[in-house]
Amino acid sequence: GPVLPILPVDSLDDIVERVNAGEKPLALYIFGPEADAAEIIRRTSSGGVCVNDTIFHIANPSLPFGGVGGSGMGRYHGKYGFDELSHLRGVMYRKTWVDPAMRYPPYNDANMRLFERLMVGPLLPPGVKKAAIASAGVAVAGVVALAFRSRL
């Protein structure tokens, strides 16, 4: 059956070098202080990890199980497995009654600036945004004052 190699090392750097020198392991078992384990986990890539124990991370249905690279791809167990083996497909519906020509090439400079503002921002110039916020504040204050006035 499978063999669990126990490899003595001199430092955390040795552990990280040894793990990173080979294929990414399906599981990584680390024995030692949690702070050292956290450092090893941060500096390596593997499938599941079990600290100060072996195998039990596989039996936990609340944890995903799977490898990275040559040790396998994906996540299995419970919802993780369902999501991994399901095709979650995004679908967008758009009405066709308004179809402005500016959506299609050739694009002029004005169209490109508009697309950039829509995709990157800011949609509203800072001065316009400040004025809109101030106007909204005044409108809210007016509504509150009107509500209090009607109760008197």
Side-chain angles (χ1 to χ4, degrees), residues 5-142:
I6 299 173
L7 308 171
V9 291
D10 295 324
S11 69
L12 289 181
D13 290 335
D14 289 345
I15 296 170
V16 170
E17 280 181 34
R18 195 175 290 228
V19 171
N20 290 339
E23 292 288 323
K24 296 177 181 185
L26 177 60
L28 183 61
Y29 303 122
I30 304 167
F31 292 88
E34 288 185 17
D36 290 350
E39 179 69 12
I40 294 165
I41 293 166
R42 186 183 68 75
R43 294 173 56 193
T44 60
S45 178
S46 68
V49 178
C50 210
V51 178
N52 294 323
D53 205 344
T54 60
I55 310 261
F56 280 92
H57 68 293
I58 297 170
N60 187 337
S62 298
L63 294 176
F65 177 75
V68 178
S71 67
M73 300 297 273
R75 303 169 312 245
Y76 308 97
H77 285 178
K79 181 168 178 2
Y80 300 103
F82 179 82
D83 289 345
E84 186 69 27
L85 299 172
S86 298
H87 175 67
L88 301 176
R89 181 172 50 171
V91 177
M92 182 186 102
Y93 289 92
R94 181 173 106 39
K95 301 293 182 196
T96 57
W97 52 271
V98 174
D99 195 20
M102 66 183 348
R103 289 188 63 203
Y104 303 100
Y107 300 116
N108 60 31
D109 290 339
N111 289 358
M112 292 304 290
R113 281 192 303 275
L114 176 61
F115 290 147
E116 182 178 355
R117 286 172 53 191
L118 288 171
M119 300 300 284
V120 179
L123 190 56
L124 296 174
V128 173
K129 185 176 180 180
K130 268 187 177 177
I133 291 171
S135 298
V138 169
V140 168

